[in-house]
Short mmCIF file of all heavy atoms in Angstrom, two decimals:
data_model
loop_
_atom_site.label_atom_id
_atom_site.label_comp_id
_atom_site.label_asym_id
_atom_site.label_seq_id
_atom_site.Cartn_x
_atom_site.Cartn_y
_atom_site.Cartn_z
N VAL A 414 -89.05 -191.91 -137.06
CA VAL A 414 -88.03 -192.90 -136.69
C VAL A 414 -88.19 -193.31 -135.19
O VAL A 414 -88.12 -194.54 -134.93
CB VAL A 414 -86.57 -192.31 -136.83
CG1 VAL A 414 -85.57 -193.34 -136.53
CG2 VAL A 414 -86.40 -191.93 -138.35
N LEU A 415 -88.42 -192.40 -134.35
CA LEU A 415 -88.46 -192.73 -132.91
C LEU A 415 -89.94 -193.05 -132.44
O LEU A 415 -90.14 -193.44 -131.26
CB LEU A 415 -87.78 -191.63 -132.04
CG LEU A 415 -86.35 -191.31 -132.35
CD1 LEU A 415 -85.79 -190.12 -131.61
CD2 LEU A 415 -85.46 -192.50 -132.16
N LYS A 416 -90.84 -192.75 -133.22
CA LYS A 416 -92.29 -193.04 -133.03
C LYS A 416 -92.73 -192.36 -131.67
O LYS A 416 -93.61 -192.88 -130.92
CB LYS A 416 -92.56 -194.51 -132.87
CG LYS A 416 -91.91 -195.38 -133.95
CD LYS A 416 -92.72 -195.39 -135.22
CE LYS A 416 -92.11 -196.22 -136.36
NZ LYS A 416 -91.96 -195.42 -137.53
N SER A 417 -92.30 -191.15 -131.46
CA SER A 417 -92.87 -190.38 -130.34
C SER A 417 -93.26 -188.98 -130.70
O SER A 417 -92.66 -188.41 -131.60
CB SER A 417 -92.04 -190.51 -129.03
OG SER A 417 -90.68 -190.30 -129.41
N LYS A 418 -94.16 -188.48 -129.86
CA LYS A 418 -94.67 -187.12 -130.10
C LYS A 418 -93.62 -186.11 -129.49
O LYS A 418 -93.05 -186.37 -128.48
CB LYS A 418 -96.00 -186.93 -129.39
CG LYS A 418 -97.05 -187.89 -129.95
CD LYS A 418 -97.68 -187.36 -131.16
CE LYS A 418 -98.62 -188.27 -131.86
NZ LYS A 418 -98.49 -188.45 -133.23
N THR A 419 -93.62 -184.92 -130.12
CA THR A 419 -92.76 -183.80 -129.60
C THR A 419 -93.70 -182.80 -129.02
O THR A 419 -94.72 -182.44 -129.55
CB THR A 419 -91.94 -183.19 -130.69
OG1 THR A 419 -90.94 -184.16 -131.11
CG2 THR A 419 -91.26 -181.94 -130.30
N ILE A 420 -93.27 -182.32 -127.80
CA ILE A 420 -93.93 -181.20 -127.10
C ILE A 420 -93.04 -179.94 -127.26
O ILE A 420 -91.83 -180.02 -126.85
CB ILE A 420 -94.22 -181.52 -125.63
CG1 ILE A 420 -95.00 -182.82 -125.56
CG2 ILE A 420 -94.99 -180.36 -125.03
CD1 ILE A 420 -96.37 -182.85 -126.30
N LEU A 421 -93.56 -178.92 -127.81
CA LEU A 421 -92.81 -177.72 -128.07
C LEU A 421 -93.08 -176.58 -127.02
O LEU A 421 -94.07 -175.85 -127.17
CB LEU A 421 -92.99 -177.22 -129.49
CG LEU A 421 -92.68 -178.14 -130.62
CD1 LEU A 421 -93.52 -177.93 -131.79
CD2 LEU A 421 -91.19 -178.01 -130.96
N MET A 422 -92.29 -176.61 -125.95
CA MET A 422 -92.48 -175.61 -124.92
C MET A 422 -91.55 -174.43 -125.21
O MET A 422 -90.42 -174.43 -124.62
CB MET A 422 -92.23 -176.24 -123.57
CG MET A 422 -93.35 -177.29 -123.22
SD MET A 422 -93.33 -178.02 -121.57
CE MET A 422 -92.28 -176.97 -120.53
N GLY A 423 -91.95 -173.48 -125.92
CA GLY A 423 -91.07 -172.38 -126.29
C GLY A 423 -91.43 -171.20 -125.34
O GLY A 423 -92.54 -170.91 -125.01
N PHE A 424 -90.42 -170.36 -124.93
CA PHE A 424 -90.57 -169.30 -123.97
C PHE A 424 -90.09 -168.01 -124.59
O PHE A 424 -90.04 -166.93 -123.91
CB PHE A 424 -89.93 -169.63 -122.64
CG PHE A 424 -90.49 -170.75 -121.93
CD1 PHE A 424 -90.00 -172.03 -122.11
CD2 PHE A 424 -91.58 -170.63 -121.12
CE1 PHE A 424 -90.57 -173.15 -121.51
CE2 PHE A 424 -92.09 -171.67 -120.43
CZ PHE A 424 -91.65 -172.99 -120.65
N GLY A 425 -89.73 -167.96 -125.81
CA GLY A 425 -89.28 -166.78 -126.56
C GLY A 425 -90.54 -165.94 -126.97
O GLY A 425 -91.65 -166.41 -127.03
N LEU A 426 -90.32 -164.70 -127.40
CA LEU A 426 -91.41 -163.88 -127.95
C LEU A 426 -90.93 -163.56 -129.43
O LEU A 426 -89.78 -163.55 -129.71
CB LEU A 426 -91.45 -162.53 -127.23
CG LEU A 426 -91.77 -162.66 -125.69
CD1 LEU A 426 -91.91 -161.17 -125.08
CD2 LEU A 426 -93.07 -163.41 -125.44
N ASP A 427 -91.92 -163.31 -130.26
CA ASP A 427 -91.67 -163.01 -131.70
C ASP A 427 -90.70 -161.83 -131.79
O ASP A 427 -89.94 -161.66 -132.69
CB ASP A 427 -92.92 -162.77 -132.47
CG ASP A 427 -93.67 -164.06 -132.81
OD1 ASP A 427 -93.06 -165.13 -132.52
OD2 ASP A 427 -94.73 -163.98 -133.42
N SER A 428 -90.84 -160.91 -130.83
CA SER A 428 -90.01 -159.67 -130.81
C SER A 428 -88.68 -159.82 -130.33
O SER A 428 -87.86 -158.86 -130.31
CB SER A 428 -90.81 -158.56 -130.00
OG SER A 428 -91.04 -159.07 -128.74
N ASP A 429 -88.31 -161.04 -129.99
CA ASP A 429 -86.90 -161.29 -129.46
C ASP A 429 -85.87 -161.27 -130.57
O ASP A 429 -84.64 -161.51 -130.26
CB ASP A 429 -86.85 -162.64 -128.75
CG ASP A 429 -87.54 -162.57 -127.31
OD1 ASP A 429 -87.82 -161.46 -126.92
OD2 ASP A 429 -87.77 -163.66 -126.78
N ALA A 430 -86.25 -161.09 -131.80
CA ALA A 430 -85.27 -160.81 -132.94
C ALA A 430 -84.34 -162.00 -133.16
O ALA A 430 -83.22 -161.82 -133.46
CB ALA A 430 -84.53 -159.49 -132.65
N ILE A 431 -84.89 -163.20 -133.09
CA ILE A 431 -84.05 -164.41 -133.54
C ILE A 431 -83.70 -164.27 -135.02
O ILE A 431 -84.51 -163.84 -135.78
CB ILE A 431 -84.71 -165.80 -133.23
CG1 ILE A 431 -85.99 -166.00 -133.99
CG2 ILE A 431 -85.02 -165.91 -131.70
CD1 ILE A 431 -86.51 -167.43 -133.86
N HIS A 432 -82.47 -164.62 -135.34
CA HIS A 432 -81.94 -164.50 -136.70
C HIS A 432 -81.65 -163.05 -137.14
O HIS A 432 -81.21 -162.85 -138.24
CB HIS A 432 -82.80 -165.18 -137.78
CG HIS A 432 -82.85 -166.67 -137.59
ND1 HIS A 432 -83.02 -167.55 -138.66
CD2 HIS A 432 -82.78 -167.47 -136.55
CE1 HIS A 432 -83.08 -168.78 -138.25
NE2 HIS A 432 -82.97 -168.79 -136.98
N SER A 433 -82.05 -162.14 -136.31
CA SER A 433 -81.89 -160.66 -136.66
C SER A 433 -80.79 -160.06 -135.80
O SER A 433 -80.44 -160.64 -134.73
CB SER A 433 -83.21 -159.99 -136.49
OG SER A 433 -84.24 -160.48 -137.15
N PRO A 434 -80.44 -158.80 -136.10
CA PRO A 434 -79.55 -158.11 -135.21
C PRO A 434 -80.31 -157.87 -133.91
O PRO A 434 -81.52 -157.82 -133.81
CB PRO A 434 -79.33 -156.71 -135.88
CG PRO A 434 -79.65 -156.98 -137.35
CD PRO A 434 -80.70 -158.05 -137.34
N ASN A 435 -79.51 -157.80 -132.77
CA ASN A 435 -80.06 -157.57 -131.46
C ASN A 435 -80.96 -158.64 -130.96
O ASN A 435 -81.98 -158.35 -130.19
CB ASN A 435 -80.71 -156.12 -131.42
CG ASN A 435 -79.79 -155.06 -131.79
OD1 ASN A 435 -78.65 -155.01 -131.38
ND2 ASN A 435 -80.19 -154.25 -132.73
N GLU A 436 -80.68 -159.87 -131.25
CA GLU A 436 -81.38 -160.98 -130.64
C GLU A 436 -81.30 -160.90 -129.15
O GLU A 436 -80.27 -160.53 -128.67
CB GLU A 436 -80.80 -162.34 -131.10
CG GLU A 436 -81.48 -163.47 -130.37
CD GLU A 436 -81.00 -164.84 -130.90
OE1 GLU A 436 -80.16 -164.86 -131.89
OE2 GLU A 436 -81.34 -165.88 -130.31
N HIS A 437 -82.39 -161.19 -128.47
CA HIS A 437 -82.33 -161.19 -126.95
C HIS A 437 -83.42 -162.16 -126.40
O HIS A 437 -84.18 -162.67 -127.08
CB HIS A 437 -82.63 -159.77 -126.47
CG HIS A 437 -83.89 -159.17 -126.96
ND1 HIS A 437 -84.03 -158.53 -128.19
CD2 HIS A 437 -85.15 -159.13 -126.42
CE1 HIS A 437 -85.25 -158.06 -128.37
NE2 HIS A 437 -85.96 -158.47 -127.24
N PHE A 438 -83.18 -162.45 -125.11
CA PHE A 438 -84.05 -163.40 -124.41
C PHE A 438 -84.38 -162.78 -123.03
O PHE A 438 -83.36 -162.40 -122.30
CB PHE A 438 -83.35 -164.74 -124.32
CG PHE A 438 -84.29 -165.86 -123.82
CD1 PHE A 438 -85.66 -165.96 -124.07
CD2 PHE A 438 -83.80 -166.87 -123.02
CE1 PHE A 438 -86.40 -166.94 -123.62
CE2 PHE A 438 -84.52 -167.93 -122.56
CZ PHE A 438 -85.85 -167.95 -122.88
N GLY A 439 -85.57 -162.61 -122.67
CA GLY A 439 -85.97 -162.04 -121.43
C GLY A 439 -85.52 -162.80 -120.28
O GLY A 439 -85.69 -164.07 -120.22
N ILE A 440 -84.94 -162.15 -119.26
CA ILE A 440 -84.59 -162.84 -118.06
C ILE A 440 -85.77 -163.51 -117.37
O ILE A 440 -85.67 -164.67 -116.89
CB ILE A 440 -84.05 -161.83 -116.95
CG1 ILE A 440 -82.78 -161.03 -117.59
CG2 ILE A 440 -83.68 -162.49 -115.65
CD1 ILE A 440 -81.47 -161.80 -117.55
N TRP A 441 -86.92 -162.79 -117.37
CA TRP A 441 -88.10 -163.37 -116.79
C TRP A 441 -88.51 -164.65 -117.51
O TRP A 441 -88.85 -165.66 -116.95
CB TRP A 441 -89.24 -162.35 -116.99
CG TRP A 441 -90.55 -162.79 -116.30
CD1 TRP A 441 -90.93 -162.54 -114.94
CD2 TRP A 441 -91.58 -163.49 -116.89
NE1 TRP A 441 -92.10 -163.11 -114.69
CE2 TRP A 441 -92.57 -163.66 -115.90
CE3 TRP A 441 -91.80 -164.01 -118.23
CZ2 TRP A 441 -93.76 -164.40 -116.08
CZ3 TRP A 441 -93.04 -164.70 -118.38
CH2 TRP A 441 -94.03 -164.84 -117.38
N ASN A 442 -88.35 -164.65 -118.90
CA ASN A 442 -88.72 -165.77 -119.71
C ASN A 442 -87.83 -166.98 -119.34
O ASN A 442 -88.25 -168.13 -119.26
CB ASN A 442 -88.61 -165.47 -121.18
CG ASN A 442 -89.56 -164.33 -121.52
OD1 ASN A 442 -89.39 -163.20 -121.09
ND2 ASN A 442 -90.62 -164.60 -122.29
#
Side-chain angles (χ1 to χ4, degrees):
V414 179
L415 302 175
K416 312 279 178 235
S417 45
K418 298 277 174 227
T419 291
I420 305 301
L421 298 154
M422 293 185 19
F424 296 91
L426 301 181
D427 282 354
S428 53
D429 286 346
I431 63 170
H432 294 209
S433 302
N435 305 312
E436 173 177 354
H437 54 277
F438 189 34
I440 302 276
W441 186 88
N442 301 65

